[in-house]
Amino acid sequence: RNTWQSHSSKRTMGFFHIGKQPRRFAYELSKIEAVHSSFEGKLLCLRWSRGRKTGATRNVVADFDGRAKWQEGALKLSATLYSSEIGRSFDAKDIKLTVEEVVKAGAYKILGSIKFDLALESGKSLESKTSVHDLVFEGGTAYGGRLRFTLRSCLESEDTSQEFPATSDQNESTVDRGKEAKKVEDLKSLETSQSNHASGRGRDRKKDPEDGKNGVKG
């Protein structure tokens, strides 16, 4: 049933694209900043998604003021846009941008989300374009927070790899999410182990009669 629905959806989308010109664009989000008080001290990533396609930035820890930052080339993706004629505006192509907390290895919690139309940022002249955005989170616990970033777009071609290295439908940095989350889990386990060890030593010292003689308290 699900397979039939998937094929049916693809046929429906194909119908809407009949007679239209496809253009493949590459996009890069950089100088990304997500701000909300609930982000403070949390391990976060920024994810884009459209259907089954997805990609994410590397994980970062938000500052004490609830500010998380990702710098140059933080997030890359590609998308095919359609227009009825060259020089005309493209059909809408929405993606979802979400800030997610890394709860544990492989587990994420959405804190804030925004819908963004790539078609509005793709030049009609098919030339490369750079724009700066300051958006408000529409949902999640970070509702009302801000997401700021610089977006670069260009027509994907043989030279695209030089302008936007490692551009793909699946952002390559997603491979590192599990590894970085594992490091965080290992750190937490080590801190817990050290705390328990120190607590155990304190109890042992209380039971030592020699400590009592010397006036040493646990």
Side-chain angles (χ1 to χ4, degrees):
R1 182 180 176 182
N2 291 336
T3 302
W4 180 85
Q5 289 177 337
S6 176
H7 288 312
S8 176
S9 176
K10 288 181 179 179
R11 285 197 298 270
T12 301
M13 292 300 295
F15 173 78
F16 287 116
H17 296 155
I18 291 177
K20 296 186 177 181
Q21 298 289 330
R23 297 286 179 179
R24 187 78 172 170
F25 283 86
Y27 302 90
E28 179 186 79
L29 281 74
S30 62
K31 299 180 181 177
I32 304 170
E33 182 179 74
V35 185
H36 192 269
S37 58
S38 66
F39 295 162
E40 180 182 350
K42 293 179 178 177
L43 185 65
L44 307 174
C45 72
L46 178 70
R47 183 186 305 279
W48 73 269
S49 61
R50 177 177 169 78
R52 293 184 178 181
K53 296 178 180 179
T54 184
T57 62
R58 295 182 182 277
N59 303 327
V60 300
V61 177
D63 295 337
F64 67 91
D65 60 350
R67 194 180 304 271
K69 294 181 179 181
W70 296 268
Q71 294 304 316
E72 297 297 332
L75 197 60
K76 302 179 178 71
L77 61 138
S78 298
T80 302
L81 273 58
Y82 295 85
S83 64
S84 54
E85 296 177 17
I86 295 178
R88 294 285 297 276
S89 59
F90 293 100
D91 294 346
K93 186 72 125 184
D94 289 337
I95 62 170
K96 190 175 183 180
L97 295 172
T98 57
V99 171
E100 301 180 4
E101 178 186 4
V102 183
V103 180
K104 61 180 181 179
Y108 303 88
K109 178 183 178 182
I110 295 177
L111 301 181
S113 62
I114 291 174
K115 282 187 179 180
F116 187 78
D117 186 1
L118 294 174
L120 298 177
E121 303 307 317
S122 305
K124 298 178 183 179
S125 62
L126 307 183
E127 296 178 354
S128 60
K129 181 180 178 182
T130 301
S131 53
V132 178
H133 300 270
D134 186 347
L135 309 174
V136 179
F137 287 115
E138 302 163 348
T141 57
Y143 178 83
R146 316 291 297 193
L147 178 65
R148 305 180 180 102
F149 58 89
T150 297
L151 177 69
R152 297 172 61 207
S153 64
C154 73
L155 190 64
E156 197 170 68
S157 64
E158 295 179 358
D159 297 327
T160 303
S161 59
Q162 297 177 9
E163 186 168 359
F164 295 104
T167 300
S168 64
D169 282 331
Q170 178 72 29
N171 197 63
E172 63 174 1
S173 60
T174 56
V175 178
D176 300 318
R177 294 199 314 270
K179 292 181 181 179
E180 295 191 16
K182 181 69 166 56
K183 290 179 183 178
V184 173
E185 289 298 306
D186 290 344
L187 258 173
K188 289 181 179 178
S189 298
L190 180 60
E191 290 172 355
T192 302
S193 176
Q194 291 174 339
S195 176
N196 291 339
H197 182 63
S199 178
R201 288 181 61 187
R203 288 195 296 270
D204 290 342
R205 288 168 59 188
K206 284 182 179 180
K207 295 178 182 178
D208 192 337
E210 292 301 320
D211 289 344
K213 292 178 182 180
N214 297 323
V216 179
K217 297 182 180 180

